[in-house]
Amino acid sequence: MTIGSCPFQAGIHAVDELHEELRTRGAGVHEAELPDGSPVWVITGYDAVTRLLADPKVSAAKADSTTGFRGNKLPPALDANLLNLDGDAHRRIRRLATEAFGPRNHAAQERVVIDAVTELVDGLPDSGEIDLMNGLCEPLPPRVTGELLGLPRAQLGDFRNASAPLLRVNTGGDETRTAMGIMLRLVSDVIADKRREPGDDLLSAWIAARDGEDRLSENELVGLAFITIVGGFENTISLTAFVLDELVREHQAHAREMLDSPAEFDALIRRLIRAAAPMNYAIRRFPLTDIEINGVVIPRGHTVLASLRSAHLDPAGAGRPDVVFGHGRHYCLGAKLAEMQTRHAVRAVLHKFPRLSTIAPREDYRLRPSWQTYALAELRMTSA
């Protein structure tokens, strides 16, 4: 079924309604147009989405497009990142990155998270109107990811500003190209600094892999740092903000009762993370051969977007693994770190403020202008 550009409306609150309509209309497989006019297939429903994302006959590499897909037109060094790779190159780089975010490093990462959360929450006003977006949600992920990577703290704002346009509606425009040029310079400068003076951080470890064991090319090194920054910043900001908003609106009393029961509190946060699910779509895919989904044949190399939001809404997904952080071999490496930041941010806010109130219906909040995510652009509350 051809549906034009309607699945890619940016900055709307009615995203659940939009994706549920796509899921329940026809076969749940639709031909559409991206905002730049290029053709795309939209796949919906839990079973179809999870099968697609786990299918070895479907690639994330732009080189496998047969329709000339170009995406954000990143510089080559930034383009060589995990979201644009598959096959042996993806497995090799992901194995290295997985070590950095694996369980043996969770305790050290949690100390970084707690320190950052404590400092930011301590800086919030004790009462009155509280700007949780600018005071906590936005600065927290850059602080944590920056500390783990070894980015200079004085430049975290520059990295944040350079990463933000990637998830805005006008991807591929002059603003994005300018921002990516800045990002390339920032990442390259930090790598050069780390080569001269290595530290106890991820970038230094990845440089050692590049220069010692030669497991990473220079572009792969830059691309790995880039995607860690973008993924670590933008998605975690959206996740933390929504969970805070939802908890205060619907679960505040219950959450406060569970503050002394870590297991129960953590389980509540995980449920709210599943409800938040800020990503509307997984990164685009390209079939390596003609594939059939729900009786519809999608030709080899055509661009395919999987609607993660429709999978969350599908009753068929009840009791099965969620797809908040994706599914299959491109599952988000930083999922545990994002959950950790959200959990500690919420806990610290509840401890500091004995009673919080939202100041407007969620539908009155501004959203970030993106069709890829459902992300609040503001989050203000009041405390007596």
Side-chain angles (χ1 to χ4, degrees), residues 6-338:
C6 76
F8 309 114
Q9 299 176 58
I12 62 168
H13 283 281
V15 286
D16 282 359
E17 293 84 348
L18 171 62
H19 286 259
E20 180 67 354
E21 181 184 357
L22 293 174
R23 184 184 73 83
T24 57
R25 188 194 303 181
V29 178
H30 310 283
E31 289 184 86
E33 288 184 355
L34 290 169
D36 65 3
S38 58
V40 65
W41 293 85
V42 177
I43 308 304
T44 67
Y46 185 89
D47 290 329
V49 165
T50 52
R51 281 199 305 269
L52 179 85
L53 297 182
D55 191 341
K57 300 187 298 297
V58 177
S59 170
K62 290 191 293 187
D64 292 316
S65 169
T66 60
T67 62
F69 179 86
R70 298 188 65 187
N72 284 314
K73 305 174 186 175
L74 299 173
L78 301 184
D79 212 33
N81 68 72
L82 285 170
L83 298 185
N84 289 334
L85 297 172
D86 234 312
D88 291 341
H90 177 264
R91 283 189 288 272
R92 176 171 52 83
I93 299 172
R94 187 178 175 92
R95 190 179 307 118
L96 178 65
T98 299
E99 294 171 6
F101 291 100
R104 70 174 184 173
N105 293 316
H106 286 173
Q109 291 168 356
E110 190 160 29
R111 289 193 293 272
V112 172
V113 170
I114 291 172
D115 288 346
V117 166
T118 301
E119 183 175 333
L120 291 169
V121 172
D122 284 350
L124 296 172
D126 293 328
S127 61
E129 184 171 302
I130 306 151
D131 185 348
L132 286 169
M133 182 63 75
N134 289 310
L136 176 62
C137 299
E138 283 207 344
L140 176 60
R143 283 280 298 276
V144 171
T145 304
E147 181 77 16
L148 295 176
L149 279 175
L151 307 180
R153 182 174 288 195
Q155 291 186 315
L156 291 182
D158 296 332
F159 279 101
R160 165 80 179 99
N161 292 336
S163 70
L166 268 182
L167 294 182
R168 291 181 189 152
V169 66
N170 295 319
T171 54
D174 291 340
E175 181 188 18
T176 300
R177 284 190 288 272
T178 299
M180 292 306 96
I182 294 171
M183 177 67 81
L184 178 57
R185 175 179 56 77
L186 289 168
V187 172
S188 298
D189 287 350
V190 173
I191 288 174
D193 290 342
K194 293 294 178 182
R195 278 206 171 96
R196 288 190 294 269
E197 295 184 34
D200 184 17
D201 52 63
L202 294 183
L203 264 181
S204 297
W206 292 340
I207 290 168
R210 158 72 177 118
D211 295 342
E213 302 171 37
D214 198 29
R215 292 169 64 188
L216 289 174
S217 71
E218 189 69 12
N219 280 357
E220 289 168 348
L221 172 61
V222 173
L224 180 55
F226 162 68
I227 206 60
T228 303
I229 291 167
V230 173
F233 286 14
E234 301 305 320
N235 294 334
T236 310
I237 291 170
S238 303
L239 186 67
T240 305
F242 186 95
V243 169
L244 271 167
D245 185 64
E246 180 71 6
L247 183 141
V248 169
R249 289 182 191 278
E250 304 293 342
H251 306 277
Q252 184 170 182
H254 185 43
R256 292 185 184 280
E257 292 172 358
M258 292 189 296
L259 282 173
D260 294 326
S261 303
E264 293 182 28
F265 184 83
D266 294 354
L268 171 62
I269 296 302
R270 282 193 292 272
R271 289 197 298 273
L272 292 177
I273 285 174
R274 178 165 183 158
M279 294 300 294
N280 293 328
Y281 296 96
I283 193 72
R284 73 286 172 279
R285 300 293 200 274
F286 309 98
L288 298 175
T289 185
D290 292 358
I291 60 173
E292 182 176 322
I293 299 177
N294 294 349
V296 179
V297 175
I298 299 177
R300 178 182 69 85
H302 280 212
T303 307
V304 183
L305 284 175
S307 166
L308 298 178
R309 188 160 298 278
S310 74
H312 299 310
L313 297 169
D314 191 347
R320 300 163 74 182
D322 66 63
V323 292
V324 173
F325 296 103
H327 183 76
R329 62 192 179 278
H330 286 273
Y331 184 83
C332 176
L333 285 169
K336 288 294 184 184
L337 183 61

Side-chain angles (χ1 to χ4, degrees), residues 367-382:
L367 298 177
R368 301 186 190 280
S370 171
W371 55 264
Q372 297 168 301
T373 64
Y374 176 69
L376 300 177
E378 57 182 333
L379 182 61
R380 291 169 290 133
M381 297 185 185
T382 59

